[in-house]
Amino acid sequence: GQNIDQPTEMTATEGAIVQINCTYQTSGFNGLFWYQQHAGEAPTFLSYNVLDGLEEKGRFSSFLSRSKGYSYLLLKELQMKDSASYLCAVRDRYDMRFGAGTRLTVKP
Amino acid sequence: DGGITQSPKYLFRKEGQNVTLSCEQNLNHDAMYWYRQDPGQGLRLIYYSQIVNDFQKGDIAEGYSVSREKKESFPLTVTSAQKNPTAFYLCASSIGRAGGDTQYFGPGTRLTVL
């Protein structure tokens, strides 16, 4: 079957670092995406990994290990506006499979 | 400004009525998608279209219908056959359906059936 798992909720402090994990089992693999979604709004694209390793984009980094079926999103220097849901999505062959999302709350 | 628009943002309908959700994009993308988002669940694919006049069922197409008469437009009709239509509906588009083609989302329509 196809499964994408990520923690339901996380809490972190402003200025800190947080790591959101995602594990997946899909019938094929053509890349892993991370999206940010504020409540009631559209998901916005954060990152794309297709090869193993770390991709860095400013305060956000994303890591992929294809052999382990594992990815994480690392958020540094957390800001209050980073409070949102973070969606992990895997493209199997053509279709995107989404996890349920991790709701991150950043506290002062 | 390029982007994806969905209207309306909120929609209320009585049970048994069909309702059509609008999705328009001016990104010149070939592929368009409709997803449904429910609390505690990942986005689920309803329908997708790779090209004008062609569309395919996703994982939960029952009770929904779509059309793709123009590249820019991919409306979704929620029919009375859909057993539990209250949800947040998201439209997305991408250049194509290749591995790295990122999907970009519209602002969503929250449908409530009374």
Side-chain angles (χ1 to χ4, degrees):
Chain A
Q2 310 212 70
N3 223 28
I4 298 175
D5 291 313
Q6 44 182 137
T8 305
E9 292 192 28
M10 298 183 72
T11 303
T13 305
E14 193 176 12
I17 299 174
V18 71
Q19 177 175 312
I20 302 174
N21 296 326
C22 172
T23 58
Y24 63 89
Q25 288 177 300
T26 54
S27 57
F29 183 81
N30 259 325
L32 187 142
F33 297 78
W34 283 96
Y35 285 85
Q36 179 191 60
Q37 185 180 25
H38 286 97
E41 296 183 11
T44 54
F45 170 73
L46 289 177
S47 68
Y48 169 66
N49 294 68
V50 67
L51 299 176
D52 289 353
L54 189 68
E55 294 279 343
E56 296 187 76
K57 252 190 200 181
R59 293 190 299 115
F60 293 3
S61 305
S62 56
F63 171 83
L64 175 67
S65 168
R66 288 171 298 170
S67 62
K68 294 181 180 176
Y70 168 69
S71 172
Y72 67 72
L73 180 70
L74 194 71
L75 291 76
K76 302 176 190 174
E77 300 168 19
L78 280 172
Q79 302 176 8
M80 299 299 290
K81 67 178 182 180
D82 296 330
S83 291
S85 287
Y86 291 86
L87 312 181
C88 173
V90 176
R91 174 168 266 133
D92 49 18
R93 187 174 178 201
Y94 292 113
D95 292 330
M96 294 271 271
R97 303 292 176 188
F98 286 83
T102 298
R103 185 162 59 204
L104 173 67
T105 302
V106 180
K107 296 189 171 178
Chain B
D1 256 280
I4 304 175
T5 57
Q6 291 184 243
S7 61
K9 191 165 177 67
Y10 299 95
L11 192 54
F12 297 88
R13 278 295 181 268
K14 291 183 180 177
E15 201 170 328
Q17 288 183 331
N18 290 359
V19 61
T20 297
L21 281 57
S22 158
C23 177
E24 305 277 329
Q25 55 98 0
N26 60 3
L27 300 167
N28 201 31
H29 285 172
D30 283 320
M32 295 188 75
Y33 313 80
W34 274 105
Y35 291 92
R36 172 183 171 135
Q37 188 173 35
D38 294 281
Q41 297 192 43
L43 276 66
R44 291 182 290 166
L45 182 65
I46 305 172
Y47 268 98
Y48 65 90
S49 168
Q50 296 187 84
I51 199 165
V52 174
N53 292 324
D54 181 67
F55 48 83
Q56 305 294 329
K57 292 182 180 180
D59 298 322
I60 55 164
E62 187 176 346
Y64 299 98
S65 65
V66 292
S67 62
R68 186 89 187 271
E69 295 175 5
K70 298 187 298 181
K71 188 175 185 177
E72 302 78 19
S73 179
F74 191 41
L76 173 75
T77 297
V78 184
T79 76
S80 55
Q82 168 49 233
K83 297 294 178 221
N84 186 18
T86 295
F88 189 46
Y89 290 88
L90 286 160
C91 177
S93 71
S94 61
I95 292 173
R97 296 186 74 225
D101 289 341
T102 301
Q103 292 185 13
Y104 296 93
F105 288 84
T109 293
R110 187 166 298 280
L111 173 65
T112 302
V113 175
L114 306 168

